[in-house]
Amino acid sequence: MNHTTHQPAFGRRLRQLRLQRGMSQAELARDEVSASYISLVECGRRPCNEAMAALFAKRLEVSLEALTAAEGPEQHRSRRLDLTGRLLTARALRRDGDLDTAVERLRLLAHEPVGPAEEDVAWEAAWELSEVQETLGRLAEQHIVLDRLADVPLTQESARLSVRVSTALSRNRRRRGRPGEAVRAGERAVTAAAGLPQAEHERVAAHLELLLGYGESGELDNAERLAASLEKIVEDVPSRQLRGLVQSGLSSTCFLLGRVPDGVRWHERSLTCLRPEADLSAWARVCLASAVRRMDHDPSPAAPDAAAALLARARQALELIGSPRDLRDLAVGEAQLALCRREPDSALGLLEPLVAETAPEPSADEGVCLLLAARAHRMAGDPPRAQERYREAARTLDDMGAYRRSAQAWRELSDMLAADRPDGA
């Protein structure tokens, strides 16, 4: 009799029987196959022929028929109900603030071998896992989850899901200080969203992420064109929260383009639209980003005080719910404020520990810290150290695709060297 192994049901049953007998994957594999092969079979990602199934049945002390029997409709329904119940439990944990436990529950769900009847539940679990990882600042882990989601058939078959995943990947790469990669992911999201209505949530979110990526990578012509199209539809966006985030993105673009009054106007509109109770961490990050924009681009005497007020708001929120990455960004913003107030020692006290940290991965954020440290050393009267930091900053920013900032670092170094050169040299 031919015994067909139906995946993923076969893999689930194999794993269940192995664990019931207290066997490791290596113990089940022995010399015939690898433990990684057992893992792939259990996850439903590799088929298993009848000969190997018979060998596993013998080691697990069950009949081949019991190991390879196909699941019926009742088993499928029971399986789906179990997965749905576990997803609801994980969501309750997230809602109650137990994020670490929620991550573990969601990770188990996202890696469950599932069939067509349960793939939507597994997709939701993986998506929710990526959101919680972003909240916790675990962006490298989130990137892995999103990359896997991008390859799932359900994502590829749905324009909305494809746009959501590509947009999240763009935001992930931007927040990890990789603007060049963020732009590429954002462009994929915008392409996938082309068939959606102009003011649809997924389409607007994709355009917003691409706008922010263009700004951080220095592609200001592209940013200006995209901002003009968003200005036309921003008031039609149904979600108040997303509308406020778009207004904040428009503010950023206006500041980058030197249109300071427009930047201030969009900034004020965004803060009246955004609600801290809807997403406190997003609201705090907008306050922080707005403070940095004011310091970077607003030459008015009122800019430092306005930035200080925004930083104070951001600190109140981030000290309560901010991730380590959020608190690092806050320290950088406060160091920049110290430089605006011509307090280089205070700025260096905030920046040097950040520069000395061993980053888990290179990023443009590291380059920004180095650039601010260079300015602080220059202000403190230490030209050699300032030159060293300027060069490090420019190289780091260039490697990460943050070309506007890189050019800024090289320009400031050149100006410094020219100012220090004796007349006629």
Side-chain angles (χ1 to χ4, degrees):
M1 182 182 295
N2 181 35
H3 297 280
T4 305
T5 58
H6 299 275
Q7 286 288 35
F10 175 80
R12 287 198 295 264
R13 193 154 45 248
L14 182 67
R15 181 175 184 271
Q16 180 185 26
L17 291 168
R18 176 180 63 78
L19 292 176
Q20 285 175 353
R21 285 151 179 75
M23 295 175 66
S24 68
Q25 291 175 338
E27 288 170 335
L28 180 59
R30 298 190 190 174
D31 295 331
E32 283 76 13
V33 293
S34 66
S36 61
Y37 170 79
I38 299 292
S39 176
L40 290 171
V41 170
E42 289 183 348
C43 290
R45 294 167 60 190
R46 283 286 296 273
C48 180
N49 62 38
E50 186 176 346
M52 289 306 305
L55 179 64
F56 295 151
K58 182 178 179 181
R59 290 177 181 167
L60 294 168
E61 300 178 346
V62 297
S63 68
L64 181 58
E65 289 78 6
L67 184 58
T68 59
E71 291 182 344
E74 282 303 313
Q75 290 170 304
H76 284 305
R77 183 172 186 275
S78 175
R79 173 76 177 161
R80 183 178 175 82
L81 288 173
D82 173 63
L83 292 172
T84 303
R86 289 161 60 191
L87 176 58
L88 291 174
T89 298
R91 284 176 172 166
L93 289 165
R94 179 186 182 185
R95 189 169 55 249
D96 292 344
D98 191 353
L99 300 187
D100 288 324
T101 306
V103 162
E104 292 308 311
R105 298 288 184 91
L106 290 166
R107 183 179 286 117
L108 289 172
L109 271 173
H111 286 84
E112 283 275 351
V114 296
E118 308 102 12
E119 62 180 344
D120 58 328
V121 182
W123 195 98
E124 286 190 52
W127 177 256
E128 191 129 357
L129 172 61
S130 76
E131 289 185 322
V132 180
Q133 287 170 327
E134 182 175 12
T135 300
L136 291 170
R138 300 175 185 175
L139 300 183
E141 295 177 19
Q142 184 202 25
H143 183 264
I144 294 171
V145 173
L146 290 172
D147 258 351
R148 287 176 178 164
L149 264 181
D151 292 332
V152 170
L154 205 63
T155 303
Q156 297 173 352
E157 293 165 7
S158 165
R160 289 181 187 276
L161 298 186
S162 178
V163 173
R164 279 183 176 267
V165 173
S166 294
T167 301
L169 279 167
S170 179
R171 183 170 61 253
N172 175 278
R173 288 165 177 167
R174 178 175 59 82
R175 292 195 64 200
R176 290 164 69 200
R178 299 184 173 193
E181 294 178 15
V183 165
R184 289 191 289 275
E187 288 174 339
R188 286 195 295 272
V190 166
T191 299
L196 300 178
Q198 281 196 334
E200 198 74 2
H201 190 285
E202 290 85 357
R203 177 169 175 154
V204 174
H207 281 76
L208 171 60
E209 269 309 315
L210 182 56
L211 176 69
L212 296 173
Y214 280 150
E216 294 198 13
S217 67
E219 299 178 48
L220 298 188
D221 288 342
N222 288 334
E224 186 172 20
R225 282 193 294 270
L226 191 52
S229 68
L230 280 170
E231 284 185 18
K232 295 175 183 176
I233 57 94
V234 62
E235 296 306 324
D236 298 327
V237 177
S239 165
R240 175 175 172 174
Q241 192 73 7
L242 180 57
R243 192 161 63 247
L245 292 174
V246 172
Q247 290 166 343
S248 176
L250 292 172
S251 169
S252 175
T253 303
C254 288
F255 276 118
L256 289 172
L257 295 170
R259 291 159 40 192
V260 174
D262 288 339
V264 172
R265 176 173 57 86
W266 281 115
H267 156 72
E268 290 173 348
R269 289 179 65 179
S270 73
L271 286 186
T272 59
C273 198
L274 290 169
R275 295 174 295 171
E277 65 273 17
D279 190 338
L280 185 58
S281 61
W283 178 83
R285 284 196 291 270
V286 165
C287 289
L288 176 55
S290 297
V292 171
R293 290 196 292 265
R294 294 295 291 266
M295 291 184 284
D296 273 341
H297 305 289
D298 186 352
S300 70
D305 288 340
L310 288 166
L311 287 172
R313 290 186 190 180
R315 173 168 285 284
Q316 286 179 335
L318 295 178
E319 283 183 337
L320 292 174
I321 48 86
S323 68
R325 186 179 294 268
D326 290 328
L327 295 174
R328 175 188 172 91
D329 291 343
L330 178 64
V332 173
E334 291 177 335
Q336 189 168 349
L337 178 62
L339 287 177
C340 287
R341 292 173 167 170
R342 305 201 64 78
E343 299 171 357
D345 291 339
S346 296
L348 289 170
L350 291 164
L351 292 167
E352 289 298 345
L354 300 179
V355 171
E357 284 181 1
T358 302
E361 55 183 356
S363 75
D365 295 340
E366 181 184 354
V368 170
C369 286
L370 289 165
L371 177 57
L372 293 175
R375 292 171 181 170
H377 283 298
R378 182 180 182 184
M379 192 180 292
D382 188 352
R385 190 63 168 156
Q387 292 174 27
E388 179 186 352
R389 289 303 194 204
Y390 272 127
R391 291 189 176 93
E392 291 173 343
R395 286 192 291 265
T396 301
L397 291 164
D398 195 57
D399 288 344
M400 292 298 104
Y403 302 119
R404 178 180 61 85
R405 290 276 196 180
S406 173
Q408 189 177 19
W410 285 123
R411 185 167 57 252
E412 290 183 23
L413 174 60
S414 177
D415 291 345
M416 178 183 175
L417 294 173
D420 292 343
R421 190 178 300 125
D423 290 343

